[in-house]
Amino acid sequence: MRFGVVTLFPEMVAAAAAYGVTGRAIERNIVGLSLWNPRDYTSDRHRTVDDRPYGGGPGMVMKYQPLHDAVIAAKQEGTESTKVVYLSPQGKPVTQALLADASKTSHIILIAGRYEGIDERFVELDCDDEWSIGDYVISGGELAALVVIDAVTRLLPGVLGDEDSAQQDSHSDGLLDCPHYTRPEQIAERLVPEVLMGGNHKDIERWRMKQALGRTWQRRPDLLKRKNLSAEQENLLKEFIVELV
Ligand code: SAM
């Protein structure tokens, strides 16, 4: 899978992507990352990428032409199925389901805006989609692009050491993850739950599912409303609630 990022700060994206899961995936050629700076597609002496907004008001707006030419260059690397996505607080919410779908695309070009945003005609003419990482505003799309790259990369086959670990993560099946423990057995009177010490894999699996259901019920009831629980899951959740009191 290949990511292209159109950004005024390519060094920022390259530096952060070089660590951990994404860094290893890039080293092992499971993921390719190309960076495209709109400033490299300007023709004036000052390499201008922004201008004042029509109608007045604060801030600057990213100009159409340098972004357009950067995307044209970025597309040359890809296949027919390239998807161009503008990262924007006005976009579709980025969810695990959206990312799982994105992980099936062979080439995604992410557009990181800056300033007040980008000329709307670029969004209309050059972008296939708009994605938001949350209902808040950050100063530039680079961090949003890194979130998407990281979250998609960990879903790609062969990236995570244990193939199952992405499937057990929060949100992968509409539930939050269960709690995790490591040594030592006791910290400030708090013991590791006994079932995890017993070595009975069936009991451990059952306990983990119960905790995942219980946590989701306590912290994110909105997720539970959207999920169809099996009869066994319904019983586990009842058990969790009874054991609380
Ligand atoms: N004026 C814009 C608005 O209110 O919709 C916000 C511009 S923001 C300061 C600059 C850039 O940061 C945006 O063009 C976008 O690329 C990025 N950005 C900000 N918040 C984001 C979010 N929640 N998700 C994705 N990208 C975001």
Side-chain angles (χ1 to χ4, degrees):
M1 159 143 212
R2 173 158 290 278
F3 292 102
V5 183
V6 175
T7 167
L8 292 175
F9 298 107
E11 298 83 2
M12 175 180 172
V13 177
Y19 289 90
V21 169
T22 47
R24 282 195 300 278
I26 292 168
E27 260 171 35
R28 291 161 60 206
N29 284 325
I30 300 175
V31 163
L33 176 62
S34 308
L35 302 163
W36 308 90
N37 191 338
R39 270 193 216 289
D40 296 336
Y41 300 89
T42 54
S43 46
D44 64 315
R45 201 157 54 91
H46 300 291
R47 305 175 79 205
T48 309
V49 291
D50 59 329
D51 207 339
R52 282 168 296 148
Y54 275 116
M60 301 294 272
V61 176
M62 288 181 78
K63 287 163 72 66
Y64 177 79
Q65 176 268 316
L67 284 169
H68 173 72
D69 290 353
V71 165
I72 297 289
K75 277 188 170 176
Q76 308 297 315
E77 278 199 324
T79 57
E80 297 284 296
S81 66
T82 297
K83 190 174 172 102
V84 181
V85 178
Y86 173 41
L87 295 155
S88 151
Q90 302 178 31
K92 268 183 207 156
V94 170
T95 60
Q96 196 68 29
L98 179 142
L99 294 164
D101 199 41
S103 71
K104 292 171 200 141
T105 311
S106 58
H107 188 208
I108 300 182
I109 299 172
L110 298 166
I111 313 296
R114 281 272 157 179
Y115 317 120
E116 281 308 309
I118 65 186
D119 192 304
E120 191 62 21
R121 290 159 298 181
F122 176 78
V123 184
E124 289 166 7
L125 296 171
D126 295 59
C127 298
D128 302 309
D129 220 341
E130 266 183 86
W131 294 350
S132 165
I133 59 161
D135 290 345
Y136 45 80
V137 172
I138 53 177
S139 308
E142 289 76 12
L143 290 173
L146 285 160
V147 165
V148 168
I149 292 168
D150 186 303
V152 169
T153 297
R154 51 187 291 110
L155 298 177
L156 298 175
V159 168
L160 294 183
D162 176 355
E163 288 297 339
D164 284 334
S165 60
Q167 279 150 33
Q168 288 164 7
D169 280 339
S170 293
H171 303 293
S172 59
D173 65 351
L175 296 175
L176 301 182
D177 196 4
C178 63
H180 299 280
Y181 299 87
T182 186
R183 282 180 286 186
E185 269 179 56
Q186 182 171 354
I187 300 173
E189 315 284 310
R190 282 167 194 262
L191 291 166
V192 173
E194 220 176 302
V195 61
L196 299 180
M197 315 286 291
N200 182 327
H201 294 295
K202 216 164 161 232
D203 287 354
I204 293 172
E205 211 176 290
R206 195 174 180 281
W207 179 87
R208 286 184 169 152
M209 177 51 72
K210 183 159 68 173
Q211 297 302 314
L213 288 160
R215 285 208 149 185
T216 313
W217 175 76
Q218 285 175 313
R219 300 176 185 201
R220 293 293 304 274
D222 58 307
L223 295 180
L224 267 194
K225 271 188 207 136
R226 275 182 254 150
K227 191 167 164 64
N228 279 328
L229 297 185
S230 67
E232 198 198 341
Q233 287 175 324
E234 294 275 9
N235 284 336
L236 284 172
L237 180 56
K238 277 185 201 145
E239 258 181 49
F240 180 93
I241 295 168
V242 167
E243 285 165 14
L244 269 186
V245 285

